[in-house]
Amino acid sequence: SERLKMLVEVKKRRPKSLYELAKMMKKDIKTISTDATILSQAGLMKLEKYNVGKRKKVRPIVSARKIQLEFAI
Protein backbone atom coordinates (compact mmCIF):
# COMPACT_ATOMS: atom_id res chain seq x y z
CA SER A 1 0.00 0.00 0.00
CA GLU A 2 1.04 3.62 -0.43
CA ARG A 3 1.03 4.23 3.32
CA LEU A 4 3.40 1.33 3.91
CA LYS A 5 5.69 2.78 1.22
CA MET A 6 5.51 6.11 3.03
CA LEU A 7 6.60 4.51 6.33
CA VAL A 8 9.56 2.85 4.62
CA GLU A 9 10.53 6.09 2.83
CA VAL A 10 10.44 8.12 6.06
CA LYS A 11 12.47 5.48 7.91
CA LYS A 12 15.11 5.23 5.15
CA ARG A 13 15.47 8.82 3.97
CA ARG A 14 14.45 10.87 7.03
CA PRO A 15 12.82 13.85 5.28
CA LYS A 16 12.91 17.17 7.11
CA SER A 17 9.28 17.98 6.28
CA LEU A 18 6.09 16.58 4.77
CA TYR A 19 6.76 18.78 1.74
CA GLU A 20 10.18 17.18 1.26
CA LEU A 21 8.57 13.73 1.62
CA ALA A 22 5.98 14.64 -1.03
CA LYS A 23 8.78 15.61 -3.42
CA MET A 24 10.69 12.39 -2.70
CA MET A 25 7.60 10.27 -3.34
CA LYS A 26 6.36 12.40 -6.26
CA LYS A 27 2.97 12.81 -4.58
CA ASP A 28 0.66 15.73 -3.88
CA ILE A 29 1.32 17.40 -0.51
CA LYS A 30 -2.38 17.08 0.43
CA THR A 31 -2.27 13.30 -0.07
CA ILE A 32 0.97 13.01 1.92
CA SER A 33 -0.44 15.17 4.71
CA THR A 34 -3.66 13.14 4.94
CA ASP A 35 -1.82 9.80 4.94
CA ALA A 36 0.71 11.05 7.51
CA THR A 37 -2.12 12.15 9.81
CA ILE A 38 -3.77 8.72 9.52
CA LEU A 39 -0.47 6.95 10.25
CA SER A 40 0.14 9.28 13.19
CA GLN A 41 -3.31 8.61 14.65
CA ALA A 42 -2.61 4.86 14.33
CA GLY A 43 0.63 5.35 16.30
CA LEU A 44 2.87 4.34 13.38
CA MET A 45 4.40 7.75 12.69
CA LYS A 46 5.18 10.79 14.80
CA LEU A 47 4.60 14.27 13.35
CA GLU A 48 6.99 16.75 14.95
CA LYS A 49 6.07 20.41 14.50
CA TYR A 50 8.86 23.00 14.39
CA ASN A 51 9.55 26.51 13.12
CA VAL A 52 12.05 27.73 10.55
CA GLY A 53 11.97 31.48 10.84
CA LYS A 54 8.30 32.39 10.53
CA ARG A 55 7.41 29.19 8.68
CA LYS A 56 5.86 26.24 10.48
CA LYS A 57 6.95 22.78 9.33
CA VAL A 58 6.04 19.21 10.19
CA ARG A 59 8.72 16.52 10.26
CA PRO A 60 7.56 12.89 9.89
CA ILE A 61 9.40 10.42 12.13
CA VAL A 62 9.23 6.62 12.11
CA SER A 63 11.18 5.03 14.94
CA ALA A 64 9.87 1.46 14.70
CA ARG A 65 12.11 -1.13 13.09
CA LYS A 66 9.37 -3.68 12.62
CA ILE A 67 5.57 -3.63 12.34
CA GLN A 68 3.63 -6.81 12.90
CA LEU A 69 -0.05 -7.00 11.98
CA GLU A 70 -2.49 -9.60 13.17
CA PHE A 71 -5.93 -10.18 11.64
CA ALA A 72 -8.73 -12.25 13.11
CA ILE A 73 -10.94 -14.01 10.55
Side-chain angles (χ1 to χ4, degrees):
S1 100
E2 290 299 311
R3 291 181 185 144
L4 180 57
K5 288 178 188 175
M6 180 187 292
L7 288 171
V8 172
E9 196 75 14
V10 170
K11 181 70 176 178
K12 280 184 173 178
R13 299 180 69 187
R14 300 179 185 207
K16 294 179 180 143
S17 67
L18 290 178
Y19 178 76
E20 187 176 307
L21 177 61
K23 286 178 27 180
M24 287 176 183
M25 295 187 69
K26 298 179 181 160
K27 300 284 182 186
D28 179 76
I29 184 63
K30 176 67 176 153
T31 301
I32 293 293
S33 180
T34 299
D35 287 349
T37 299
I38 290 168
L39 291 169
S40 175
Q41 289 171 344
L44 300 172
M45 179 184 291
K46 180 181 174 187
L47 298 176
E48 180 182 88
K49 296 177 184 178
Y50 67 102
N51 295 324
V52 176
K54 293 183 179 181
R55 298 184 73 119
K56 293 182 181 182
K57 295 194 175 202
V58 178
R59 176 183 295 125
I61 300 169
V62 174
S63 57
R65 293 181 304 180
K66 181 177 176 181
I67 298 171
Q68 187 172 347
L69 300 175
E70 185 176 311
F71 295 94
I73 54 172

